[in-house]
Structure formats: structure tokens, C-alpha cells
Amino acid sequence: MSLELYTPEISALAIGNPFPDRLADATGSTERRSPVCGSRVTVDVRLGEDGRIAAVGTQVRACLLGQASSTLMAQHVVGRSVEEIIVARDELTKWLAGTGDVPDWPGMALFTPGLKLTARHASIRLAFEAAAEAAEQARAGRAQDSVTRNGQIRIGDAPAGHD
């Protein structure tokens, strides 16, 4: 294992999560686990009226890299759209696989020494995978709530006045 990856910056990031607690009013929640090291990251999100992340909560039981990645995600996720979170996850996956550039996410370059340590990639991806899934879940639930609240709108129904 390369000690180049375990820098003072990564260590500081690991203990700096601004949202270390679960959200009581989450509209989306997902846990991801690394089969390699057993790290687990749970991400809760609540979408605002504009469809962007309004609040985030996390529960992180992970190695140093999983903790650092979770902090990096949490520091910059509020205010972003669901699509931006999905793109960040996908760019991170491609970058770690060697098929893409450094993701357009603040601080991501700190993980550059981890590119050659493929066994550590799952830990670095955990928080971004969980955040993207939770955001997608929240968006899907929001769409379902809209249909449920309006009751009259169902697939196959004609609009009112068009019988």
C-alpha cells in the first residue's frame, strides 16, 4: 500500500465532515458498502422546491479514504442538482478506472495517488455512489408524490373536459 495516498490533507479531510448525522426528514437515503474493506457510507438527502439538494446527512463507518471522500462529497453537495451528483459519480468512476479526467468536483485531485491502488477505488467511490442513488430516489419519490397528491392524474386518463 502506498503511503503517498495517506497525506495530511486526506487525514484532515477525513475528520472534517460538515454533516455527520442522519437526516430525520430525508426524501432519499442509500447505504453503500465496500466488499473489499467493509466500509459503509449512508447518505440521506432532502430536495428543495427547486429540485436541488437542500440538505444532506451522512453516517460514515469507513476507512480513512471513505471518510475523506464522504467529507468531500458533503462539503459541496448542498445546492447541486440531481444530475450534477450523477455526473460527479460517473466522472469519478471513469477517472479511477483510467478512462476519464479528474472529476469537476472541488478537491477531487487529492485522491490522485490512489489511481494506482485499485483495491482502494471502492472506498473512494462510496459516498458519491450513495449520494447519487439517494438523490435519484428523492427525485423519483417527489414525482410519485406529485401524482399521488393530484390524484386525478393517472397514466391513461384523459385530461379533465376531454371525455
Side-chain angles (χ1 to χ4, degrees):
M1 184 168 305
S2 174
L3 294 179
E4 295 171 12
L5 181 56
Y6 297 95
T7 64
E9 293 83 10
I10 290 286
S11 295
L13 194 58
I15 61 170
N17 189 336
F19 304 105
D21 299 313
R22 303 282 311 266
L23 285 182
D25 59 348
T27 54
S29 181
T30 301
E31 179 180 274
R32 296 291 294 185
R33 183 182 166 279
S34 169
V36 174
C37 66
S39 289
R40 288 185 298 168
V41 174
T42 303
V43 176
D44 301 322
V45 299
R46 181 171 24 88
L47 296 183
E49 291 298 318
D50 60 358
R52 293 181 171 276
I53 306 297
V56 64
T58 63
Q59 183 174 47
V60 181
R61 291 182 225 103
C63 64
L64 188 74
L65 296 175
Q67 291 174 40
S69 180
S70 295
T71 297
L72 196 62
M73 178 279 300
Q75 286 176 335
H76 303 286
V77 73
V78 173
R80 294 199 184 239
S81 69
V82 175
E83 289 75 22
E84 288 175 298
I85 307 309
I86 292 167
V87 167
R89 175 201 59 200
D90 294 347
E91 286 181 352
L92 176 59
T93 300
K94 288 176 186 174
W95 179 56
L96 290 172
T99 60
D101 295 326
V102 177
D104 185 22
W105 192 273
M108 194 62 75
L110 287 173
F111 293 104
T112 299
L115 291 175
K116 60 188 170 208
L117 302 171
T118 57
R120 308 308 298 152
H121 290 181
S123 297
I124 297 169
R125 289 192 319 262
L126 284 178
F128 287 87
E129 290 174 349
E133 289 177 25
E136 288 177 304
Q137 184 185 91
R139 179 172 58 189
R142 186 181 174 104
Q144 183 61 40
D145 287 348
S146 175
V147 171
T148 302
R149 273 195 306 270
N150 294 328
Q152 303 99 339
I153 302 172
R154 293 187 301 262
I155 295 174
D157 283 359
H162 292 86
D163 295 343

